[in-house]
Amino acid sequence: IYLSRSIGSVIDLAEYDRVEIYKGPHGNLFSRNAIGGTINITSRRPGRDLHIKGQLTTGSRNRRDVLIDLDIPLISDRIYGNFFFSSRNRKGYGTRLEYDGQTAADQTSITSFHPDLSASTELGNQNVERFHGKIIWETEKNLEMSLVSDAIWSRELAPVSTLLGFSDNL
C-alpha cells in the first residue's frame, strides 16, 4: 500500500518483515515519480499460533499510546491472520491566540475546510490511529491467497508557529 511523504514517516511499524532501500531513479520498478529512490517496507507473514503483543505508553499532556499486535489462527492450518492496531494521542503544547484585525489570508476558507479549527485553540496535538490486517488462506493445491488491509486516521492541528514581525501598514 503506497504511503507518500510525511504521513508515511510517522506511522508505527511493529509488524514489518523487511525493509528494502532502492537508490533512485526508478522508472521501471516504482513509476517515473521515484526520482530520489524508494523505501519498500514488507509486512510480516502472520504466525500460525496465537500470539499477542502489546505496549502502553503514558506521559505528560495526556499522552496515551497503545499498540496491539495479534496473530490468530482462524481455521487451523488453512486460514490465519495478523491484526495490528496503534493509537497515539496527546494534547497540544501551544495555544492559538485570537486576532480581531484584518488578515492577509481569508480565514473563512480555512474554517470551512476544517470546521473544528475555529472551536479549538490547542495547537501541536497528536491524534493518529492505524489498523493493519493480513489474512492468509492456504488451499490444499499449493495455492495461497492473501488479503491485506491498511487504514490510517489522523486528526491533528498544526504545530505552533511564531509571529516574527507585524506591520500595520496596508
Side-chain angles (χ1 to χ4, degrees):
I1 297 173
Y2 175 72
L3 296 174
S4 68
R5 302 185 190 247
S6 61
I7 191 65
S9 66
V10 295
I11 61 173
D12 290 318
L13 295 173
E15 78 292 340
Y16 66 92
D17 182 37
R18 66 183 180 276
V19 177
E20 301 165 347
I21 299 174
Y22 301 104
K23 269 180 21 178
H26 273 291
N28 52 354
L29 288 177
F30 298 102
S31 83
R32 290 185 293 196
N33 294 329
I35 294 172
T38 303
I39 300 174
N40 187 27
I41 301 171
T42 305
S43 60
R44 72 174 174 83
R45 215 176 148 76
R48 294 178 183 265
D49 299 322
L50 180 64
H51 178 76
I52 300 172
K53 179 173 69 172
Q55 179 179 332
L56 177 65
T57 305
T58 61
S60 61
R61 301 194 190 282
N62 283 347
R63 180 179 177 188
R64 294 177 316 272
D65 297 352
V66 176
L67 186 140
I68 299 170
D69 193 5
L70 172 68
D71 284 347
I72 185 167
L74 301 171
I75 298 176
S76 62
D77 295 338
R78 303 289 305 271
I79 300 176
Y80 46 98
N82 170 257
F83 303 100
F84 171 81
F85 174 78
S86 70
S87 175
R88 291 177 172 256
N89 296 287
R90 183 189 68 217
K91 289 184 71 139
Y93 56 89
T95 302
R96 177 184 295 111
L97 301 175
E98 294 297 326
Y99 176 68
D100 294 330
Q102 291 284 344
T103 60
D106 181 12
Q107 291 185 350
T108 59
S109 64
I110 295 171
T111 56
S112 65
F113 175 73
H114 196 306
D116 296 334
L117 186 62
S118 60
S120 177
T121 60
E122 180 182 290
L123 294 172
N125 68 334
Q126 187 177 31
N127 192 358
V128 179
E129 281 86 27
R130 177 174 182 236
F131 172 78
H132 176 85
K134 187 171 193 177
I135 297 175
I136 303 287
W137 176 28
E138 292 179 345
T139 65
E140 296 173 358
K141 298 180 181 180
N142 289 335
L143 178 65
E144 178 179 294
M145 291 186 234
S146 60
L147 173 67
V148 179
S149 174
D150 211 343
I152 300 171
W153 297 274
S154 178
R155 295 168 306 283
E156 300 176 339
L157 294 176
V160 176
S161 59
T162 302
L163 180 64
L164 298 177
F166 175 75
S167 174
D168 204 11
N169 300 333
L170 294 176

